[in-house]
Amino acid sequence: MTKRVAILISGGGSNMIRLVESMAGDHPASCVLVVSNDPAAAGLLRAAEMGIPTAAVDHRAFKGDRPAFEAALQAELDKAAPDILCLAGFMRVLTAGFVQHWDGRMLNIHPSLLPKYKGLHTHARALEAGDTEAGCTVHLVTAALDDGPILGQARVPVLPGDTEADLAARVLVQEHRLYPLVLERFARGDLTPVML
Ligand code: GRF
């Protein structure tokens, strides 16, 4: 039974694009919706170009009322009836209630080697700490920010003279490799972490 996947984005959606492209052939999942909290997100146009249904729920219309925003988001999701949610560059913090509803079925990609550097500015923090390696993590989403069971990680070297942009670009390449591999395994019911 093919798993139905909804992808949540906030911006360009480069991870979304790779995920959609990966769900081809005998893949155990298919993308049924791409939804953004920003109606102007460039990823919405890219998803539409790939023939994927899209929706936007502008979080600014809810003026900080997270439960109201999430109720509108859930209404869009209900129309597509996804089995799995993939957060891909989705920049809104979700309430415990929403996360609980999707417990065990919602994945996120975070640009650090969790549990290091939960939250924002991960690359700047790794450089500041003088780390010699960095990377990205795909994890199940739980109520605690960037804290759920790890489903995959990819590592990159931190090179002398790296700027934040240099490191972000190097990690992003690995995000695009890692997330599709994790989703394919997860959709088959295999929780064995993908380590790259
Ligand atoms: C990426 O660095 C990802 O790690 C973070 O959001 C950034 C943009 O992702 N979650 P995308 O290009 O919109 O997929």
Side-chain angles (χ1 to χ4, degrees):
M1 178 68 176
T2 302
K3 297 292 186 193
R4 298 168 62 86
V5 174
I7 304 175
L8 285 67
I9 66 170
S10 294
S14 71
N15 277 289
M16 173 276 295
I17 291 165
R18 271 57 174 202
L19 288 172
V20 170
E21 290 174 340
S22 75
M23 288 182 260
D26 67 348
H27 195 287
S30 66
C31 186
V32 296
L33 178 69
V34 170
V35 56
S36 178
N37 62 291
D38 180 353
L44 290 173
L45 296 176
R46 296 300 306 275
E49 287 166 359
M50 293 188 284
I52 305 297
T54 62
V57 180
D58 190 340
H59 67 278
R60 289 161 296 208
F62 298 90
K63 296 179 177 43
D65 183 345
R66 286 185 195 279
F69 163 68
E70 292 175 353
L73 175 61
Q74 187 62 47
E76 288 299 333
L77 294 169
D78 288 344
K79 293 178 195 171
D83 302 300
I84 297 168
L85 298 191
C86 287
L87 308 182
F90 186 71
M91 304 307 278
R92 303 301 297 169
V93 173
L94 296 165
T95 66
F98 186 91
V99 170
Q100 183 59 42
H101 178 81
W102 290 96
D103 186 41
R105 301 182 291 159
M106 180 158 57
L107 283 60
N108 181 49
I109 189 157
H110 180 76
S112 79
L113 294 173
L114 292 173
K116 291 182 80 170
Y117 311 129
K118 298 173 183 177
L120 299 175
H121 312 302
T122 61
H123 305 307
R125 292 155 67 190
L127 291 171
E128 178 66 28
D131 292 353
T132 56
E133 75 172 1
C136 51
T137 303
V138 177
H139 63 95
L140 281 169
V141 177
T142 56
L145 184 69
D146 300 327
D147 194 56
I150 289 174
L151 298 177
Q153 287 192 314
R155 295 170 184 275
V156 301
V158 178
L159 302 175
D162 265 347
T163 64
E164 188 178 345
D166 294 331
L167 186 52
R170 192 172 309 124
V171 171
L172 193 59
V173 170
Q174 297 308 315
E175 293 178 31
H176 296 163
R177 291 180 63 217
L178 178 67
Y179 214 166
L181 290 172
V182 170
L183 176 60
E184 205 264 355
R185 188 172 289 189
F186 184 78
R188 294 192 192 284
D190 181 354
L191 298 186
T192 310
V194 175
M195 291 301 178
L196 300 178

